[in-house]
Amino acid sequence: MFLSLLSKKLFTIFLYFSVMFPIFTLQLGDGTTVNQLSPKKIMENVIQVCATDFNTFVLKEDGSAWGTGLNKNGILGNQTTKYSNDFVKILVDVKKISASDNTAVFLKKDGTLWLTGIYYNEKTKKSNGNYVASSIAKNTPFLIQNDVIDVLVIKSSVFYIKTDNSLWGFGANTFGEMGLGSTEPEIIPVKIASNVKNFISLTDLAFETLNGAKYRVTLNNTISLINKTIKHISTDLVLYQKYTYESGEKEENYLVVANYATTLQYFKMSP
């Protein structure tokens, strides 16, 4: 499946979609399930698009948040789990959307953070000593936090920065994306860092602090200082420059092809 999002003057959205399975074309939100092989105008006055494998979310200039697609676990927030091939209105007064295949979060202008879809609410210790996360589905927007200034969903975890510039996260932490050195679920929000200014990646936990230092979750699921900036090419393309961490660990240049939900595909680039 390939999905690319193009914009015109940042206020009109054109979607290009070509897949093998027609049901996934629900993501276009054009009222059909027909494959679209050329850009098609869908909506105007759009300032953000958030695309996952099965759903597309749109934030309009007036602060209204809209969604279309498979609607598994009620992620569209319209009190059902029935798919929609038209955009449905989810919330108003929104300033940012972030989503994975299973969870969507909406940061409102008043600093409240709302969630639809999968919400991890319990963890259980297995006989082998490992923990597993349990969840419930929220098919209407569910308030999860106040005093938030930025938000990011990565895989099975939700991250947010509060007005005091503290960074918090919670979720299944399936791939160790929280940077805590393990894959143990964190159902109750845990503080990850202080003095955080903003997120600097769409595909993994990387952030900039108030003093300009940049940090990122490394391959061993811990957070370390980096000496290069992550460059965004588009929602689905991120250029990672060569990193040198405080730990001495190094990474080569890669072009990463991904969206909020999919497994990263790395293409090594020439130095």
Side-chain angles (χ1 to χ4, degrees), residues 6-53:
L6 307 175
S7 63
K8 182 179 180 181
K9 295 183 180 178
L10 296 180
F11 297 109
T12 301
I13 178 174
F14 289 79
L15 299 181
Y16 172 84
F17 202 83
S18 177
V19 296
M20 294 177 62
F21 305 101
I23 190 171
F24 295 136
T25 55
L26 298 167
Q27 284 177 267
L28 275 178
D30 63 350
T32 76
T33 58
V34 178
N35 286 352
Q36 184 65 36
L37 302 180
S38 59
K40 179 179 182 179
K41 183 177 179 181
I42 303 295
M43 187 179 291
E44 295 184 338
N45 302 318
V46 173
I47 59 174
Q48 186 198 352
V49 178
C50 179
T52 75
D53 281 351

Side-chain angles (χ1 to χ4, degrees), residues 6 13 63 65 80 88 90 101 179 189 214 239 248 251 256 264 269:
L6 307 175
I13 178 174
T80 76
V88 297
I90 302 172
D101 281 346
K214 298 177 177 65
L239 175 62
E251 294 182 35
V256 181
L264 301 186
M269 302 178 67

Side-chain angles (χ1 to χ4, degrees), residues 216 226-231 238-245 250-256 269:
R216 176 175 176 246
I226 59 178
N227 69 348
K228 290 289 185 179
T229 303
I230 296 171
K231 293 185 177 180
V238 181
L239 175 62
Y240 284 74
Q241 295 189 5
K242 186 175 182 179
Y243 294 132
T244 301
Y245 298 102
K250 294 183 179 180
E251 294 182 35
E252 301 295 328
N253 288 346
Y254 286 92
L255 181 65
V256 181
M269 302 178 67

Side-chain angles (χ1 to χ4, degrees), residues 26-210:
L26 298 167
Q27 284 177 267
L28 275 178
D30 63 350
T32 76
T33 58
V34 178
N35 286 352
Q36 184 65 36
L37 302 180
S38 59
K40 179 179 182 179
K41 183 177 179 181
I42 303 295
M43 187 179 291
E44 295 184 338
N45 302 318
V46 173
I47 59 174
Q48 186 198 352
V49 178
C50 179
T52 75
D53 281 351
F54 306 112
N55 302 280
T56 300
F57 298 93
V58 168
L59 178 60
K60 298 190 70 173
E61 193 177 24
D62 63 2
S64 59
W66 301 73
T68 184
L70 194 58
N71 198 24
K72 185 178 180 181
N73 300 305
I75 197 171
L76 295 183
N78 59 348
Q79 300 184 354
T80 76
T81 56
K82 180 178 173 58
Y83 70 82
S84 176
N85 56 15
D86 288 304
F87 276 97
V88 297
K89 193 173 185 178
I90 302 172
L91 280 171
V92 297
D93 296 323
V94 175
K95 71 174 186 178
K96 185 176 181 180
I97 305 170
S98 186
S100 66
D101 281 346
N102 297 314
T103 301
V105 291
F106 306 85
L107 177 56
K108 298 190 72 172
K109 296 175 182 178
D110 63 1
T112 56
L113 188 61
W114 300 75
L115 177 148
T116 57
I118 287 295
Y119 174 66
Y120 292 98
N121 65 333
E122 187 177 348
K123 68 177 181 180
T124 305
K125 192 172 185 178
K126 301 171 65 177
S127 58
N128 61 4
N130 295 330
Y131 286 87
V132 61
S134 301
S135 64
I136 55 177
K138 296 289 187 179
N139 62 12
T140 57
F142 173 63
L143 177 64
I144 58 174
Q145 195 58 242
N146 296 291
D147 302 319
V148 176
I149 59 174
D150 203 359
V151 66
L152 181 65
V153 178
I154 301 172
K155 301 180 178 71
S156 57
S157 298
V158 176
F159 301 91
Y160 55 88
I161 302 171
K162 301 199 71 173
T163 52
D164 64 358
N165 297 107
S166 57
L167 169 61
W168 298 74
F170 71 92
N173 194 30
T174 306
F175 302 95
E177 60 268 20
M178 297 183 71
L180 302 175
S182 74
T183 57
E184 181 178 330
E186 295 293 346
I187 304 308
I188 299 175
V190 58
K191 187 176 180 178
I192 298 172
S194 301
N195 301 315
V196 177
K197 179 181 178 182
N198 56 269
F199 297 110
I200 56 174
S201 175
L202 300 175
T203 56
D204 59 357
L205 181 57
F207 56 89
E208 182 178 1
T209 60
L210 295 176

